[in-house]
Amino acid sequence: AIRNAKMAKEMIEKNKIQKEVEIVGEIQRSLLSKNKKDNFPIAGINIPAKVVSGDFYNFSDLGDGIYGFGVADVSGKGIKSSLLMSKASSLYRCLSKTIYSTSELLMILNNEIYETISRGMFVTMLIGIYDSNKKELTLANAGHEPPLIYSKDGNFSNFEEAGPPLGIAPKFKFKETKINFSNSSMYIFTDGITEIKNPSGEMLGSEGFENYIKKYQSSPINERLKTMIDDILNAGHIQKDDLTILVVDSK
């Protein structure tokens, strides 16, 4: 009877912890931008490997045909990483509404995260501004995966300029780059996409991801990414990391 009572108490505590983790997951999902059904040029998707995620994306309409967006990935997994991601995402959501310089915004985020980050942890992040009037992207990268830019003529190119991840080098001045962006789509993603493996242990890689981009490029932007990830998983790839993609279509 004593043993059964002890087991029942442990089960109650375990369920309580699990419930709290699920609440953290719900809060995280509420910080992600919701895809629009109207003619909006940006969409994103995040599929956590577990209940909580170490990935984040956000986008917003800044008015007058200008849009802001960001994608980030915290090192490590679990509650510790998810809490750091919640902090980084909250800071970005707040500051990106008033700071339109991508380099300045990354510098502020970097300094804030550096002050409280745990030893050995860091955040990779790419942020940008899309000006649909000028057909121009302004990008700044803090150690994140280079995005893939797919032009309507069927060619891929990369934006490889990057500074260190956030939380490593305080007061670092990140470089801001402007690139022409017309008749193209840019895919920003975390390494969970390219490093996902099939049953034979082979990673999807950039080339494999490019094939899925080509396959679904003609799909509506608000449906494209879900269809793409569903196809990747249905093809037998085994998810062990968070899967996050954000796409920007030139209008």
Side-chain angles (χ1 to χ4, degrees):
I2 294 172
R3 186 170 64 250
N4 288 342
K6 185 178 180 181
M7 289 175 62
K9 183 178 179 181
E10 289 175 350
M11 186 173 294
I12 291 170
E13 286 299 318
K14 187 176 180 180
N15 289 339
K16 182 179 178 182
I17 293 171
Q18 180 62 29
K19 185 65 177 177
E20 290 174 349
V21 171
E22 290 174 359
I23 292 171
V24 172
E26 289 175 9
I27 293 171
Q28 281 192 312
R29 286 189 291 274
S30 71
L31 295 173
L32 301 175
S33 298
K34 303 296 186 293
N35 291 339
K36 316 290 186 182
K37 291 185 178 181
D38 55 1
N39 185 29
F40 200 81
I42 308 175
I45 190 170
N46 167 253
I47 309 294
K50 297 182 179 179
V51 179
V52 294
S53 174
D55 289 359
F56 159 75
Y57 73 83
N58 183 264
F59 55 81
S60 58
D61 186 347
L62 301 176
D64 299 323
I66 300 174
Y67 306 86
F69 55 87
V71 177
D73 184 3
V74 169
S75 61
K77 295 180 176 63
I79 293 295
K80 194 174 181 180
S81 295
S82 70
L83 291 174
L84 177 55
M85 179 48 61
S86 296
K87 175 181 179 177
S89 60
S90 298
L91 283 170
Y92 173 80
R93 282 173 61 94
C94 178
L95 296 174
S96 63
K97 294 175 182 177
T98 56
I99 300 174
Y100 298 162
S101 166
T102 57
S103 57
E104 181 184 354
L105 180 51
L106 271 188
M107 184 174 68
I108 295 172
L109 290 170
N110 181 45
N111 292 338
E112 287 290 333
I113 290 172
Y114 179 83
E115 289 182 1
T116 57
I117 199 167
S118 299
R119 186 178 179 85
M121 296 189 74
F122 57 85
V123 181
T124 69
M125 189 169 194
L126 187 146
I127 63 174
I129 300 287
Y130 169 45
D131 189 329
S132 62
N133 304 304
K134 296 180 179 179
K135 302 296 181 185
E136 182 180 77
L137 284 173
T138 304
L139 303 173
N141 190 350
H144 199 75
E145 295 279 333
L148 289 171
I149 300 174
Y150 182 58
S151 62
K152 293 297 189 290
D153 60 12
N155 293 319
F156 283 95
S157 60
N158 293 98
F159 170 73
E160 297 185 349
E161 180 69 40
L166 305 179
I168 293 178
K171 299 181 181 179
F172 184 86
K173 294 183 178 180
F174 293 89
K175 185 177 179 180
E176 184 173 272
T177 304
K178 295 183 183 294
I179 60 176
N180 294 326
F181 188 64
S182 60
N183 298 317
S184 302
S185 294
M186 180 173 66
Y187 290 82
I188 310 169
F189 53 95
T190 57
D191 56 12
I193 295 291
T194 51
E195 294 179 3
I196 194 170
K197 296 180 180 179
N198 63 20
S200 301
E202 299 170 330
M203 291 195 299
L204 180 65
S206 293
E207 186 175 339
F209 183 41
E210 288 175 4
N211 291 333
Y212 280 99
I213 290 174
K214 291 178 181 177
K215 184 176 180 180
Y216 293 105
Q217 181 61 27
S218 60
S219 301
I221 189 171
N222 59 340
E223 302 172 5
R224 189 185 312 161
L225 300 182
K226 185 180 186 309
T227 307
M228 190 184 296
I229 286 185
D230 285 347
D231 193 356
I232 291 172
L233 295 177
N234 290 336
H237 290 89
I238 302 166
Q239 180 183 3
K240 292 187 177 181
D241 199 358
D242 304 322
L243 304 178
T244 302
I245 313 173
L246 183 138
V247 58
V248 184
D249 280 356
S250 58
K251 296 182 73 175

